[in-house]
Amino acid sequence: MKRLVLLLGILLSCSAAFAARQTEGTIKGICRDTDGSPVGFATVYLMTTDSTVVTGTAAEADGRFALKAAPGEYILTVSLIGYKDAACEISVAAGENELSPITLEEDSVMLEGAKIQVVVPKMELTGEGLLTTVSGSVLENAGTAKDVLEKTPGIIKSQDGLEVIGRGAPLYYINGRKVNDTSELDRLQSNEIQSVEVITNPGSQYDATVRSVVRIKTVKRQGDGFGFNFYASDAQSLKWLKGNNATAALNLNYRTGGVDIFAGINYDRWAQRQQSNLEKATFGDSIFEDKGNLDSEFLGQSVYGNAGVNWQISANHFIGGKVEWGTRLQGDDMTLIHDDVFENGVQVDNLTTISKDRLGKKKPNNLGANIYYNGLIKDKFGIDINLDYYGTTDSSISFADETSSMTTDAYISSESRNTGKMYAAKAVFSYPIWKGQLEVGTEETFSRRTDSYSIAGVDIPASSAKVREDNYAGFFSYGFALPKFGQFSAGLRYEYVNYAYEDKLSPDQNLSRRYSNFFPSASYAGKFGPVQLMVGYNARTERPGYSSLSSAIRYNNRYIWQSGNAQLQPQLTHDVNVTAVWKFITVMLGYSRTDHAIMLWSSPYNDEGVVLVQPRNIDTPHRKMNVSVNLNPTVGPWTLNCTFGIMPQWLTINAPDPREPSGIRVTKFNDKPFGFVEMFNTFKVKDGWQFELGGEFYSKSYSKNILLTSCYFNLTAAIQKSLLKDGSLVLRLEGRDLAGLAHHNIYTDFGSHTIRQTNYMDSQRIKFSLRYNFNTASSKYRGTGAGAEERSRM
């Protein structure tokens, strides 16, 4: 708490500071193309005559830029992917220095006689990842932010959602603010996005659990006044009448002077259905075989809102706050399971289970708040401070009605309740040293959680647990640029974690742990002729979520129980990645090694055929590699975005197997690499029409300790029309999984237990959406948030 008070004091004192003025010159200019049209988002930097970089900036959307420097002789360079670099010698005097317009010439390549303008979209390597410019490209009218991300180099769409290739699901930031609800990506419209940066090598300023980050920057709007945008969509299943997903969102914004006030609310309704055939076998003193089928339906509704204010005190000082809240209105899950159970080849049970899950007496809700200060003192010393709170409450009630024609019937009921609170603070200080920038900072996160579970109708113990975790972190990084060699950066993060788990109903499960770890990172980015190259390394960890640490046993059905594992240890991953960009071709390579990998595991619980599913640490390393290529040319009205690659893994597990004389069987998950192809074709024609046809194909492969036994194919198509003079009204009709093949079948071998599952997912849908912008002005909110990963775990 003393640390929070100290940071709050820093926040209040810094908010009153103003930038000191020195005798210097201001250089102003504008970038244009050969037709005289403004060219936005170019990189502009100033060097001395001995090639020492003095300062730099990025041009605004209208091509204008401004720099400050001491009087003297300099070389001004303007760079933007898709254009040839432009450089000129200038003399800077005290006061304002207005430059003549700087003309950038397009850099194009000939391919089979067709001239391909490699300017849509434009890609550039940074010290951390790959930056794709959206504004002014074919992606500008792709639909929502999620539609843009699906077509962004470095990102693929898996059955679990969007993933950074070889790095898993990323954390998202919009204008430096952590996205806590990914449905926000459906509300942000593509024409509001300036750029997307896919970070495959997160630096030391990020939590040690973060392996990839996607930073979205919106277009900076000019002028004051009131604006709003409205979005509504409806996606109807082609096979299930109740399968209707509806979304509506309204965002308001008012700007006057340096004050920006914003608020938003959205409603979501979703319906999901899964049908599966299952075959399970358990090996012990007896061999139990279970053959059955499953039909599951889920209906949910939620409401989310936010409000906040940003105050630009002066040109270099900002302060603001934001409140977010959300609640679940509905959460009904109904599952029907039929099981035929055999012991040593003789049928011993014919079981029908109808289970229903619904919200508890108190509806789930969450509340988050952030206040921040962001400033620059004397145009050099940077300060970024964030204070965060996040609280969540959840409860659910479950019922299972079991009917057996060969044994006894049963009625099982259970109730789960949990609450969580998190307090976090983060401070980052930066200062230019030599030819680069030094960053130092600290981040503290304090979490408290309670979890209670009770069950009736079966002999499973109840639980009432408390979890306490305190995380103290310090970090620094230094990055610098040498014009003839490239950009270099390195960082180090230290984290000390104090963790305690206490279950008053099962004292034997109580434990406490302390972790003390260093996490290094380093990267290099440079340009070799027309080729851009980036190389990075970092060490990351993954701590188990709180539900994975709970020892309470959850009842799925008579033969499958599920539990967390209070003995879980964090896993540690070392990542190495290489990215190269040439013209419209991007190549990405990566290798990772994970020790103490956390994976779901199933094993016999008793001698009656019951198995317990719970996470565990694997005692052998899990190694993965990824190689991918992205092609993104444009010929006339047609733009191709094609990504293909392969991701092999090496995993050997010593699985307990009573059929083996030693009781252990070496199981390998190595010989089926994951292959993928994603191809999207966009045709942009006159009068605001846009046509899209694409698809995603994933091969049979191993994913950790699971074998995907079928190929996955998702065929998509869309038609979009922009209306009104400024294109502020957009209508879009799209179809997903038009071939009906977007599902995976699985098989896994746990040694003493095997599972084979064939799945039929309700993914064939037709979606219609409407978006309208009125005098929109993107929020200037600059809060980056603290404790971001801890929110996800809660």
Side-chain angles (χ1 to χ4, degrees):
M1 183 59 69
K2 290 182 178 179
R3 294 173 182 263
L4 291 172
V5 173
L6 175 60
L7 288 174
L8 182 59
I10 296 174
L11 172 69
L12 295 175
S13 61
C14 290
S15 65
F18 291 91
R21 303 295 180 185
Q22 298 178 337
T23 302
E24 57 186 9
T26 300
I27 307 107
K28 294 184 177 181
I30 186 171
C31 304
R32 299 185 183 277
D33 59 19
T34 52
D35 295 328
S37 300
V39 176
F41 319 123
T43 300
V44 185
Y45 57 94
L46 205 62
M47 299 186 298
T48 60
T49 53
D50 63 356
S51 298
T52 300
V53 176
V54 176
T55 186
T57 189
E60 300 293 345
D62 60 1
R64 297 185 182 277
F65 64 87
L67 296 166
K68 292 184 178 181
E73 302 296 321
Y74 298 94
I75 298 174
L76 182 77
T77 302
V78 180
S79 177
L80 181 63
I81 301 304
Y83 294 88
K84 297 178 181 178
D85 289 355
C88 60
E89 296 181 356
I90 63 172
S91 296
V92 177
E96 289 195 1
N97 298 260
E98 190 73 32
L99 303 180
S100 300
I102 297 173
T103 302
L104 299 178
E105 298 181 5
E106 292 181 352
D107 190 3
S108 60
V109 63
M110 299 298 294
L111 179 61
E112 297 181 357
K115 187 176 182 181
I116 303 176
Q117 301 294 339
V118 192
V119 297
V120 184
K122 307 174 184 71
M123 289 168 286
E124 180 179 3
L125 287 177
T126 66
E128 294 179 304
L130 181 66
L131 180 71
T132 299
T133 300
V134 176
S135 182
S137 78
V138 69
L139 297 180
E140 185 175 31
N141 295 312
T144 67
K146 187 172 289 186
D147 296 319
V148 171
L149 294 174
E150 289 180 3
K151 301 174 178 64
T152 298
I155 296 178
I156 62 173
K157 182 184 177 184
S158 72
Q159 59 179 342
D160 297 322
L162 298 176
E163 294 186 359
V164 173
I165 297 176
R167 295 293 179 269
L171 286 180
Y172 296 98
Y173 287 82
I174 297 177
N175 294 335
R177 174 181 57 81
K178 167 71 166 56
V179 175
N180 296 308
D181 181 0
T182 56
S183 66
E184 186 172 351
L185 301 176
D186 290 315
R187 302 192 298 273
L188 179 62
Q189 300 171 45
S190 57
N191 62 357
E192 292 290 315
I193 300 175
Q194 173 183 319
S195 63
V196 174
E197 184 177 10
V198 179
I199 298 175
T200 56
N201 195 58
S204 60
Q205 68 270 34
Y206 295 101
D207 189 287
T209 60
V210 177
R211 293 189 62 202
S212 61
V213 174
V214 171
R215 290 197 297 225
I216 300 173
K217 184 178 181 181
T218 60
V219 176
K220 183 178 180 181
R221 304 296 185 186
Q222 304 296 327
D224 295 338
F226 171 77
F228 72 89
N229 65 69
F230 174 76
Y231 172 83
S233 69
D234 187 272
Q236 175 60 47
S237 169
L238 299 181
K239 292 186 175 181
W240 184 37
L241 186 60
K242 291 191 295 184
N244 181 265
N245 295 353
T247 298
L250 176 65
N251 295 287
L252 309 173
N253 189 276
Y254 178 73
R255 299 173 68 173
T256 177
V259 178
D260 176 28
I261 302 172
F262 57 92
I265 187 169
N266 80 284
Y267 164 82
D268 289 293
R269 179 193 184 275
W270 62 96
Q272 300 172 349
R273 189 182 188 188
Q274 175 181 340
Q275 296 174 303
S276 303
N277 295 322
L278 303 100
E279 296 181 9
K280 304 184 287 290
T282 305
F283 307 101
D285 296 335
S286 297
I287 299 177
F288 284 88
E289 295 176 279
D290 185 341
K291 299 180 181 180
N293 55 72
L294 173 150
D295 191 341
S296 178
E297 299 179 2
F298 179 76
L299 301 175
Q301 297 182 73
S302 66
V303 175
Y304 166 89
N306 71 85
V309 61
N310 178 81
W311 178 26
Q312 183 174 353
I313 303 172
S314 66
N316 293 329
H317 296 269
F318 303 83
I319 187 171
K322 183 177 183 180
V323 175
E324 302 172 284
W325 60 270
T327 185
R328 289 266 299 278
L329 303 177
Q330 180 185 14
D332 296 326
D333 192 349
M334 194 280 287
T335 303
L336 173 64
I337 303 176
H338 295 286
D339 289 293
D340 289 313
V341 182
F342 301 83
E343 182 179 3
N344 298 325
V346 179
Q347 185 167 1
V348 295
D349 203 355
N350 177 269
L351 184 68
T352 298
T353 304
I354 300 175
S355 61
K356 297 181 179 180
D357 300 337
R358 60 178 175 82
L359 303 182
K361 296 178 181 179
K362 189 172 184 179
K363 292 182 179 179
N365 63 83
N366 59 74
L367 176 66
N370 166 262
I371 59 174
Y372 76 93
Y373 165 76
N374 180 279
L376 192 65
I377 298 177
K378 294 186 178 179
D379 289 330
K380 289 186 176 181
F381 184 64
I383 302 173
D384 188 357
I385 298 175
N386 282 265
L387 303 177
D388 279 77
Y389 165 80
Y390 184 74
T392 179
T393 301
D394 194 6
S395 66
S396 63
I397 299 175
S398 300
F399 307 93
D401 190 357
E402 298 179 348
T403 305
S404 174
S405 62
M406 303 182 69
T407 60
T408 59
D409 298 343
Y411 184 79
I412 314 299
S413 63
S414 63
E415 183 174 3
S416 175
R417 301 179 302 277
N418 59 69
T419 62
K421 292 183 179 181
M422 181 208 71
Y423 305 89
K426 185 175 183 180
V428 182
F429 306 95
S430 60
Y431 192 80
I433 296 179
W434 189 50
K435 298 183 179 182
Q437 188 92 346
L438 174 68
E439 276 193 356
V440 297
T442 179
E443 184 173 10
E444 287 80 24
T445 305
F446 309 96
S447 301
R448 303 293 183 267
R449 182 177 175 88
T450 63
D451 190 350
S452 64
Y453 178 76
S454 59
I455 187 168
V458 66
D459 188 18
I460 291 178
S463 69
S464 180
K466 292 183 179 180
V467 178
R468 173 181 57 81
E469 183 174 294
D470 298 333
N471 188 322
Y472 303 89
F475 56 88
F476 75 89
S477 64
Y478 180 69
F480 63 95
L482 299 177
K484 295 183 179 180
F485 298 97
Q487 304 174 36
F488 302 83
S489 66
L492 184 67
R493 183 181 181 96
Y494 170 77
E495 291 192 357
Y496 173 79
V497 180
N498 187 0
Y499 170 85
Y501 176 92
E502 177 185 349
D503 190 335
K504 66 181 182 180
L505 300 182
S506 302
D508 58 316
Q509 296 291 331
N510 295 350
L511 63 92
S512 62
R513 296 194 187 121
R514 290 180 174 85
Y515 305 106
S516 180
N517 303 98
F518 288 93
F519 301 95
S521 62
S523 68
Y524 163 76
K527 191 174 182 180
F528 300 87
V531 178
Q532 301 174 74
L533 180 69
M534 188 198 75
V535 181
Y537 161 79
N538 62 43
R540 294 293 170 188
T541 189
E542 180 179 326
R543 302 185 184 94
Y546 290 121
S547 61
S548 297
L549 292 169
S550 173
S551 296
I553 296 177
R554 264 61 175 179
Y555 186 90
N556 288 352
N557 65 22
R558 185 171 297 186
Y559 296 100
I560 300 178
W561 298 357
Q562 190 168 351
S563 171
N565 181 359
Q567 305 299 322
L568 278 180
Q569 297 284 344
Q571 66 180 34
L572 179 63
T573 301
H574 296 273
D575 286 320
V576 178
N577 57 83
V578 179
T579 305
V581 176
W582 178 76
K583 301 293 184 180
F584 54 84
I585 302 174
T586 302
V587 180
M588 302 180 71
L589 299 91
Y591 173 81
S592 67
R593 172 186 168 124
T594 300
D595 295 312
H596 309 295
I598 299 173
M599 298 184 187
L600 278 178
W601 199 261
S602 179
S603 57
Y605 182 75
N606 57 27
D607 58 1
E608 298 177 358
V610 176
V611 296
L612 181 65
V613 180
Q614 61 180 167
R616 57 169 281 190
N617 292 109
I618 304 301
D619 56 7
T620 54
H622 180 211
R623 294 172 293 140
K624 294 193 301 181
M625 184 177 181
N626 65 273
V627 181
S628 66
V629 178
N630 175 266
L631 307 176
N632 197 196
T634 294
V635 180
W638 170 62
T639 294
L640 170 67
N641 188 339
C642 177
T643 301
F644 58 91
I646 189 170
M647 288 190 280
Q649 72 167 20
W650 296 269
L651 176 63
T652 300
I653 297 178
N654 300 316
D657 190 342
R659 295 170 296 175
E660 296 292 327
S662 64
I664 298 294
R665 177 162 55 89
V666 177
T667 307
K668 296 184 177 181
F669 305 85
N670 301 336
D671 58 348
K672 290 182 174 59
F674 174 69
F676 63 94
V677 178
E678 293 189 346
M679 183 177 295
F680 301 100
N681 299 274
T682 303
F683 300 88
K684 188 176 182 180
V685 295
K686 295 181 179 180
D687 300 324
W689 285 99
Q690 184 167 298
F691 302 90
E692 301 172 18
L693 180 65
E696 300 136 0
F697 172 82
Y698 307 137
S699 69
K700 302 177 183 179
S701 64
Y702 280 115
S703 177
K704 293 185 177 180
N705 58 333
I706 296 175
L707 173 63
L708 305 177
T709 60
S710 65
C711 296
Y712 173 101
F713 178 60
N714 178 25
L715 178 64
T716 63
I719 302 175
Q720 182 172 291
K721 171 66 173 176
S722 299
L723 302 171
L724 306 183
K725 291 183 179 180
D726 58 356
S728 57
L729 177 62
V730 179
L731 306 179
R732 182 178 176 88
L733 180 67
E734 59 186 290
R736 300 211 172 223
D737 190 21
L738 298 178
L741 299 173
H743 54 263
H744 277 300
N745 302 328
I746 66 170
Y747 172 79
T748 189
D749 185 350
F750 299 110
S752 57
H753 183 61
T754 62
I755 301 174
R756 185 180 299 275
Q757 183 169 328
T758 303
N759 300 308
Y760 303 91
M761 314 301 290
D762 174 44
S763 51
Q764 281 189 289
R765 293 177 182 259
I766 295 295
K767 178 181 177 180
F768 175 76
S769 63
L770 176 152
R771 293 180 300 277
Y772 177 68
N773 300 328
F774 173 75
N775 192 29
T776 52
S778 298
S779 172
K780 296 158 61 178
Y781 197 76
R782 292 174 174 244
T784 57
E789 181 61 22
E790 188 64 21
R791 291 192 183 194
S792 301
R793 294 177 67 210
M794 295 180 68

